[in-house]
Amino acid sequence: MIWLTWRQFRAQAVTAAAVLAAVAILLGTTGPHLASLYAASGLTGCNGDSCADLANNFLSQLSTDGLYHVGYTLGLVLIFAAPAMLGIFWGAPLIAREFEAGTYRLAWNQSVTRTRWLTVKLALTGLAAMAVTEALALMHAWWADPISKAIALGGGGASAFGGGRFNWTTFATNGITPLAYAAFAFALGTTAGALVRRTVPAMAVTLAIFAAVQFVMPLWVRPYVIPPSHTVVSVASLNSLRPQTFPGQPGAWVLSTATVNAAGQPVTAAPAACDSLTSGKDASEAPYLDCMASHGIRETITYQPASRYWPLQWIETGIFLALALALAGLCFWRLDRRRALRAKGAQGALRRGLSAIVTGVTRIVSFLVCAIQHRT
């Protein structure tokens, strides 16, 4: 059974291996130079607030070099799209193709049970999907390690690498979450194929549901799966109102901000004395913020500290692995239920056939009896 599954899966495996080899060559040839740029930036021995400035300078330097910006972005896009593609092209056809071609009749009437058939299919192909996605993530993480370190030190706000580690694409393409996303997408595609029993509709269902999940998770689940922290800071310590970074918490994920007065009430307009300072200037400049601070204006910030990055990674990974297992269980239930329904239908047909035979025999006997009585 394992050999048969490998024979059916070898084309996808060769394609995935070729993609991994191409990515490894590309990252291996450019990674050492990126590491040398990081070593020359002074970030390895920085301390305190100077780290954020050095990190911003390093990332701004990389932004001017299109090679690293494009490579970083394409890597994120590839890892972000890989689970969806694997779910669509590996998961959805896994069972749906058997129904469409009618080969399930042959496969399920051999000595191999349906449970073992599905177990081998899910295990071999699913583990391969997880391995491919995580391999892409690990290679990109090795290549982008200098960029990740600079972002963790508070850099990236004004560069093309802005957003930090908690950015919705960065978080989903780093660490261990890509592995869980691949498992979920593959199980989702397989389940869609088992329920829909048509390959193309199953692909469409897989893409729609996975896209919806990728939209819902970073907006409404991830920020609050661990209760966020709150703080109030003077606007004089910030570089702008509604900041994405603030002192004392480098690399934190800012969820929301609100400008309030000394009484804690929301501020909808700046004091008149401060409005004049914005004429011809950017409202984020220090004089304007100092004026706001002198009037008791503060900023309330809701955030996830940088120290919660890995706990959030583990929690999200656990959520999607649990969903993948639940979907796999649904596949087994669906195939067993189909077998039970077919068996029940066969039993019903047998009963109807026997009933028809008995009825026919009874009528024949009745006809013969009537004929004999008529003759006598």
Side-chain angles (χ1 to χ4, degrees):
M1 186 62 208
I2 295 176
W3 175 248
L4 175 61
T5 303
W6 162 248
R7 294 276 295 180
Q8 294 176 327
F9 177 65
R10 59 182 176 180
Q12 296 95 315
V14 170
T15 302
V19 171
L20 289 177
V23 172
I25 293 172
L26 178 62
L27 298 183
T29 54
T30 58
H33 184 253
L34 179 59
S36 66
L37 292 177
Y38 180 83
S41 67
L43 283 168
T44 53
C46 70
N47 293 302
D49 295 335
S50 63
C51 291
D53 294 333
L54 290 174
N56 278 317
N57 292 336
F58 170 68
L59 295 177
S60 297
Q61 177 188 359
L62 295 183
S63 298
T64 59
D65 189 338
L67 173 64
Y68 294 108
H69 179 219
V70 171
Y72 183 78
T73 304
L74 288 180
L76 294 182
V77 170
L78 179 61
I79 300 168
F80 192 76
M85 295 299 100
L86 294 173
I88 292 171
F89 294 105
W90 289 14
L94 191 68
I95 297 178
R97 183 174 52 201
E98 302 283 351
F99 283 117
E100 283 186 325
T103 54
Y104 73 96
R105 297 186 181 92
L106 176 63
W108 296 348
N109 284 284
Q110 306 299 314
S111 59
V112 178
T113 63
R114 296 187 186 195
T115 300
R116 183 184 174 191
W117 179 87
L118 184 57
T119 300
V120 174
K121 288 270 189 178
L122 288 176
L124 183 63
T125 316
L127 290 175
M130 296 167 65
V132 168
T133 306
E134 190 62 21
L136 287 172
L138 290 175
M139 287 190 293
H140 185 266
W142 169 81
W143 180 85
D145 183 59
I147 298 174
S148 300
K149 288 179 179 178
I151 292 174
L153 291 172
S159 73
F161 302 95
R165 293 192 300 172
F166 290 100
N167 179 276
W168 69 283
T169 52
T170 306
F171 187 91
T173 54
N174 284 272
I176 55 177
T177 52
L179 181 149
Y181 275 115
F184 169 72
F186 176 77
L188 176 63
T190 305
T191 304
L195 297 176
V196 179
R197 305 204 310 175
R198 294 292 183 271
T199 301
V200 174
M203 289 178 172
V205 170
T206 302
L207 178 60
I209 296 178
F210 188 77
V213 169
Q214 290 285 34
F215 181 78
V216 170
M217 175 59 71
L219 291 181
W220 294 302
V221 179
R222 187 184 303 156
Y224 308 106
V225 71
I226 297 178
S229 300
H230 307 272
T231 189
V232 179
V233 298
S234 171
V235 295
S237 64
L238 305 175
N239 56 11
S240 67
L241 298 178
R242 305 290 192 271
Q244 292 303 308
T245 61
F246 60 99
Q249 290 289 339
W253 181 15
V254 176
L255 302 177
S256 64
T257 61
T259 306
V260 298
N261 57 25
Q265 299 172 336
V267 174
T268 58
C274 301
D275 280 338
S276 60
L277 297 176
T278 64
S279 178
K281 297 181 180 180
D282 185 357
S284 66
E285 290 187 352
Y288 174 78
L289 295 176
D290 290 340
C291 178
M292 296 279 284
S294 67
H295 286 78
I297 305 300
R298 299 175 296 172
E299 198 79 13
T300 63
I301 301 175
T302 302
Y303 68 99
Q304 292 285 4
S307 59
R308 293 181 182 172
Y309 175 80
W310 281 108
L312 287 172
Q313 282 268 329
W314 281 106
I315 291 173
E316 190 160 326
T317 299
I319 290 173
F320 280 97
L321 288 179
L323 290 174
L325 290 175
L327 289 170
L330 180 59
C331 283
F332 284 104
W333 173 82
R334 174 60 179 170
L335 293 186
D336 288 340
R337 182 172 181 269
R338 178 177 174 82
R339 178 177 58 183
L341 290 175
R342 287 176 64 89
K344 184 177 180 181
Q347 292 174 359
L350 179 61
R351 285 195 298 267
R352 289 191 297 271
L354 291 174
S355 177
I357 293 173
V358 172
T359 302
V361 170
T362 302
R363 289 179 178 178
I364 292 172
V365 171
S366 299
F367 174 77
L368 293 175
V369 170
C370 290
I372 293 172
Q373 290 177 349
H374 178 72
R375 285 179 176 274
T376 57

